[in-house]
Amino acid sequence: MTIRTVSSRIVYENPWLSVREDRIEHADGSPGLYSVIDKPDFALVVPAQDDGFHLVEQYRYPSRSWSWEFPAGSFTPGVTGTPERMAAAEPAEETGFTAGALHRLGHVHCSNGIAGHRAHVFLATDLTPGEPHPEATELGMRQAWFPRAEVERMMRDGVITDGASPAAYTLLALWERNAPDRCRDGAGRRRSTG
């Protein structure tokens, strides 16, 4: 089934996003209305170390709650670049860790019913510690390392509710399963094949 755009108008805009209202026509010819949020793509990074992961916790105003997540973010308004460049900056900004290696895991649409932006997902390994440099909107953010089993428990128990983080973890699990010689522990060590 395809939907044809008849007309489109922006009803709200700020430096971070815009909301547009599209008049549409369904495949059967019936008219409709679609509201769409346009935002830039972002990078989500899974910082892996010692068979565990570095997560960040920040206050998410829309859900009025603190949220444990993998580090993620986009370029500031007016700045452009590749997803790899975004991914290289995020863990250093939010956790202080610099990745010696980045592995692209894929991408996901986090809210494809209302927005078209994507999360470009990367695994970060060979981590070097440093000082985080949070943006003004990230003040109060903290980071901590959790073993893999604890991260999985946090996802099962509803502690991690950010939709992109479990999706990224699934991409990581598929990446590990489909290439047995890739490192599983996040420290650059390869799994034994014999």
Side-chain angles (χ1 to χ4, degrees):
M1 176 175 165
T2 59
I3 296 175
R4 185 174 75 86
T5 304
V6 176
S7 66
S8 184
R9 72 182 182 99
I10 293 176
V11 295
Y12 175 77
E13 189 173 27
N14 68 34
W16 302 277
L17 63 84
S18 64
V19 179
R20 73 175 197 270
E21 189 175 86
D22 291 357
R23 298 276 174 192
I24 61 167
E25 184 179 273
H26 295 281
D28 66 358
S30 62
L33 181 68
Y34 223 111
S35 298
V36 180
I37 299 170
D38 288 316
K39 291 185 65 167
D41 287 357
F42 64 100
L44 183 146
V45 182
V46 180
Q49 189 173 43
D50 300 328
D51 201 26
F53 306 98
H54 294 275
L55 301 178
V56 294
E57 185 187 41
Q58 61 185 312
Y59 186 74
R60 292 297 193 179
Y61 179 78
S63 62
R64 302 283 205 260
S65 62
W66 286 89
S67 177
W68 282 106
E69 311 166 359
F70 289 122
S74 60
F75 290 120
T76 56
V79 178
T80 60
T82 64
E84 289 78 10
R85 185 173 158 218
M86 256 191 301
E90 273 313 303
E93 180 183 296
E94 296 186 0
T95 69
F97 285 98
T98 302
L102 282 172
H103 311 276
R104 188 181 187 97
L105 301 179
H107 71 270
V108 296
H109 288 98
C110 301
S111 303
N112 63 357
I114 59 169
H117 72 296
R118 295 176 294 176
H120 298 274
V121 181
F122 291 84
L123 169 66
T125 59
D126 302 325
L127 302 178
T128 302
E131 286 297 315
H133 303 286
E135 297 175 357
T137 56
E138 298 168 334
L139 295 178
M141 176 184 285
R142 66 185 182 122
Q143 71 93 18
W145 177 88
F146 296 90
R148 182 181 289 255
E150 179 67 6
V151 171
E152 291 179 357
R153 184 201 62 76
M154 292 166 77
M155 290 180 186
R156 276 194 315 272
D157 293 352
V159 175
I160 295 175
T161 60
D162 161 60
S165 292
Y169 188 77
T170 300
L171 288 174
L172 172 64
L174 292 170
W175 184 81
E176 291 172 337
R177 184 173 52 183
N178 290 319
D181 64 327
R182 292 181 177 151
C183 68
R184 175 171 162 72
D185 66 359
R189 294 185 292 270
R190 295 193 181 276
R191 287 191 264 183
S192 171
T193 56

